Amino acid sequence: MALYLLFESASGYSLFLAHGIDEIGQNTEAVRNSVLDLTRFGKVVKLNAFVPFSSALDALNQCNAVSEGILTDELRNFLELNLPKVKEGKKQKFSLGVAEPKIGSQILETTQIPCQSNEFVLELLRGVRLHFDRFIKDLKTSDLEKAQLGLGHSYSRAKVKFNVNRVDNMVIQAIFLLDTLDKDINSFSMRVREWYSWHFPELVKIVNDNYLYAKCAKFIVNKAELSEDKIPGLAEILGDEDKAKEIVEAAKASMGQDLSPIDLINVQQFAQRVMDLSEYRKKLYDYLVTKMNDIAPNLASLIGEVVGARLISHAGSLTNLAKCPSSTLQILGAEKALFRALKTRGNTPKYGLIFHSSFIGRASARNKGRLAHYLANKCSIASRIDCFSESNSTVFGVKLREQVEERLDFYDKGVAPRKNLDVMKAAIEATLKEDGEEDEKSKMDVDPTETTATKSKKKKSKDAAMDVKPIMEEKENGDVSAEPETEKKKKKKEKRKLAEQEEVSGKSDGVNGVDTDQNGTAKKKKKKKTEQVEGEDLQTAGESKKKKKKKAKSEDDE
C-alpha cells in the first residue's frame, strides 16, 4: 500500500510519496536513523506535488484552519488533484499520513481518503521538515525562515487578539490592583493619623473616615492658626457645620505638641498622596464596573461586579470559570481549608469567594450552606451564558437574581419559588424582544448603498445571537438535576421492565378471541373434572372388589 505524506509549511502545502515502506517494514527506529542522512531518506521519500500560498494572509488563514481541524477548499482541491481517485465500494491502495488527527478525520469524512497519524508517520514528517528546502529547488533557506517567522508572529498575534472589547485580562489586573490599593490606602491613612495625632490628637475622635481625615489634615496644617474664619471650609469638607465648629473648639484646647514648619509640610504632602490614591481607587472601581458589564454582564448583575471579578481572576479567565462545575465554583478561594479538611477528615468548607455576596449575608446560619450551593449553580449558568453567547444583555442575570431572591424567601417564609424552566423561557422571550427592537433600529439606520452581502452577514450574526437555549432544566423548585442512578437502581428498573413485558406478552397472545387467562381457567376446570371422574371410578372399582370377596366367602361356607 502506497503512503502519501501531507506536509503544511509556512510557504505552502506539499505532498510526498513514501515508496520504500516494505523495505523499512514500518520500523520507527530505522526511520529515525535514516532521517538525518538525506541520501538514505531521499530514497524513501520523494516530492510528489507542491502548491505555494498566495499571500501571508492566506498562509495565516490556512494555518488557523489546520489548527482547528477544518478542511479548506484549497487543501481539498490540492488533495483531489494530486492523489489517486477514490473508487466507491473498493479497497483503497493508498493512505494519507497527516500530523494532526483532527484534520485527518475531516479529510476522511469529506473526501473518503483514508488517513493515518501514528509515530511512524510523524517520524517521516520530521525528516521532511528537516530537509524541506532540499526537496524544493527554487526555495531558499532564508526565504523559508522569513516565511516561518512572519507566519509565527501573525498566528500568535491573531490568537491573542480575538476580541478587544471582551478581554477578561483587564478585569483580572483591575481587581488585583483594587485589592492592593485597598491595603495600601488603609495602611497609609493609618500612618497619616498616627503622624498628625502628635500635633492634633483630638481630630481622630471627631473625624472617623480616613479620606476626610487626610483632607482635614491638609486643610488645617497648623492647629494654632485654626480660627472661626476656616469653619466654612471645614464644613464643605465634612458636610457638617457642627463638626467643623467642634474641630475649631478642640484646636483651641488641644494637648498635642507643636511641630516645625518642615514637619507640617511633610505631613501635608503625605496626606495629599493618600487623597490622590483614594480618588484613583474610585476611578479604578468605576472602570472595573464598566469592564464587567462588557465582559460578564449576567454574572455582574447576579452577584456584583467585585465578587464576579474576583471569581474570574481566581479561575484565571472567564472561559475557565465557565468550564468549572458549580461545586468547584462554590469553594473557589477556600482551597486551603478544603485540603486541610480532607487531610484531617473534618468538615469541608461551604463557600469561598461567594461568601462576600450579599445573599449569603442575608441568609440565616443554618441556610447559608444551601444558599451557597444554589448561588454557585446560578453563577455557573451566568458565566457560561456570558462566555459562549454573542448577545451582550443582562436579562439572564436579572432573572437568575430573582430566582435567588425567591429561594431566600422560600427558606425564610416557605413561599414556593418558580420553576427554572419557566424563568428561562421568560428570559429567552425578553432577549428575543430586545433583539427584535435592535433589528428595527438597524433597519431604520441602514444606508441605501449597503450591499446585500453585508445585510446577509448581519442577519446571520443576529440569528446566531437569537439562538439562545436554556442551559439547564432543573427540578420543580429550581434544584439541580438528580444524582446519577446507582447500579442497584438500574438493575431493579431492568427487572421491572422485563416483568411488565412478560405480562403484556401473556395478555396479548390470545387465540380466537379468547385470552390466555381464560384458557388457563378452562384448563384448570377440566383438570378438576377429570380428577373427580377418576376418583369416582376408583371408588366403584373398590366396592365391586369387596362384593366379589363376600360372595366367594359365602360360597365356601356353604
Side-chain angles (χ1 to χ4, degrees), residues 110-122:
T110 52
T111 62
Q112 301 300 319
I113 295 170
C115 299
Q116 59 175 333
S117 176
N118 48 30
E119 193 178 353
F120 175 70
V121 172
L122 291 175

Side-chain angles (χ1 to χ4, degrees), residues 346-407:
N347 294 326
T348 54
K350 296 176 183 176
Y351 27 66
L353 293 168
I354 289 180
F355 180 76
H356 299 290
S357 174
S358 59
F359 292 116
I360 293 171
R362 285 160 54 193
S364 59
R366 67 193 185 96
N367 292 326
K368 281 184 189 291
R370 286 195 285 175
L371 191 70
H373 182 71
Y374 188 77
L375 183 61
N377 178 19
K378 299 303 169 191
C379 286
S380 66
I381 293 171
S383 62
R384 286 164 192 172
I385 293 169
D386 289 329
C387 184
F388 301 114
S389 70
E390 294 180 3
S391 60
N392 193 10
S393 66
T394 59
V395 176
F396 284 95
V398 172
K399 295 291 182 184
L400 293 171
R401 188 179 182 87
E402 289 174 5
Q403 277 190 292
V404 181
E405 293 280 357
E406 289 173 5
R407 185 49 64 100

Side-chain angles (χ1 to χ4, degrees), residues 259-486:
L259 295 177
S260 64
I262 298 169
D263 296 336
L264 289 171
I265 288 165
N266 281 315
V267 173
Q268 190 179 7
Q269 287 177 352
F270 189 54
Q272 182 63 43
R273 294 292 172 89
V274 173
M275 288 162 56
D276 294 340
L277 276 176
S278 57
E279 286 169 4
Y280 174 66
R281 196 257 178 207
K282 289 177 184 176
K283 291 178 183 176
L284 187 66
Y285 177 75
D286 295 336
Y287 166 75
L288 179 66
V289 169
T290 54
K291 289 300 290 182
M292 278 297 293
N293 288 326
D294 290 337
I295 293 162
N298 293 299
L299 186 64
S301 59
L302 171 62
I303 204 170
E305 289 84 4
V306 176
V307 181
R310 284 204 176 100
L311 286 171
I312 291 170
S313 67
H314 197 82
S317 65
L318 183 62
T319 52
N320 290 347
L321 185 67
K323 289 173 186 176
C324 286
S326 60
S327 56
T328 307
L329 193 144
Q330 184 180 351
I331 54 168
L332 273 179
E335 286 84 3
K336 283 186 179 179
L338 174 67
F339 291 123
R340 192 190 309 120
L342 292 173
K343 192 176 180 180
T344 57
R345 295 182 182 179
N347 294 326
T348 54
K350 296 176 183 176
Y351 27 66
L353 293 168
I354 289 180
F355 180 76
H356 299 290
S357 174
S358 59
F359 292 116
I360 293 171
R362 285 160 54 193
S364 59
R366 67 193 185 96
N367 292 326
K368 281 184 189 291
R370 286 195 285 175
L371 191 70
H373 182 71
Y374 188 77
L375 183 61
N377 178 19
K378 299 303 169 191
C379 286
S380 66
I381 293 171
S383 62
R384 286 164 192 172
I385 293 169
D386 289 329
C387 184
F388 301 114
S389 70
E390 294 180 3
S391 60
N392 193 10
S393 66
T394 59
V395 176
F396 284 95
V398 172
K399 295 291 182 184
L400 293 171
R401 188 179 182 87
E402 289 174 5
Q403 277 190 292
V404 181
E405 293 280 357
E406 289 173 5
R407 185 49 64 100
L408 262 175
D409 294 337
F410 173 68
Y411 288 148
D412 295 337
K413 302 170 187 175
V415 181
R418 291 176 292 171
K419 292 181 182 179
N420 187 56
L421 189 62
D422 298 335
V423 177
M424 289 293 115
K425 280 181 181 177
I428 289 165
E429 287 173 3
T431 51
L432 290 175
K433 283 180 183 178
E434 283 186 2
D435 291 336
E437 290 174 1
E438 286 177 3
D439 289 343
E440 288 176 1
K441 287 181 182 178
S442 62
K443 283 177 184 176
M444 295 291 288
D445 297 335
V446 165
D447 295 330
T449 57
E450 192 176 17
T451 58
T452 56
T454 54
K455 286 181 183 177
S456 62
K457 283 181 182 178
K458 283 186 178 180
K459 281 183 182 178
K460 283 180 183 177
S461 63
K462 282 168 188 171
D463 292 338
M466 286 166 69
D467 246 352
V468 184
K469 291 183 180 179
I471 307 299
M472 288 179 70
E473 290 186 5
E474 296 183 349
K475 290 183 180 179
E476 290 182 358
N477 294 334
D479 291 334
V480 184
S481 59
E483 293 178 358
E485 295 180 347
T486 56

Side-chain angles (χ1 to χ4, degrees), residues 4-17 41 45-53 62 66 75 78-79 83 96-100 103 107 121-136 139 144 148 151:
Y4 289 91
L5 300 171
L6 176 64
F7 180 68
E8 309 94 356
S9 66
S11 54
Y13 289 121
S14 54
L15 199 64
F16 291 85
L17 176 62
F41 188 73
V45 178
K46 288 186 178 180
L47 180 67
N48 192 26
F50 174 74
V51 58
F53 295 132
Q62 297 294 328
V66 169
L75 180 57
F78 173 68
L79 292 174
L83 285 173
L96 181 67
V98 292
E100 292 288 334
I103 195 73
I107 290 167
V121 172
L122 291 175
E123 285 296 327
L124 289 173
L125 287 171
R126 188 169 70 88
V128 169
R129 191 181 298 109
L130 185 63
H131 306 293
F132 183 67
D133 55 340
R134 306 280 183 88
F135 284 110
I136 297 168
L139 188 66
L144 183 62
Q148 287 173 350
L151 181 61

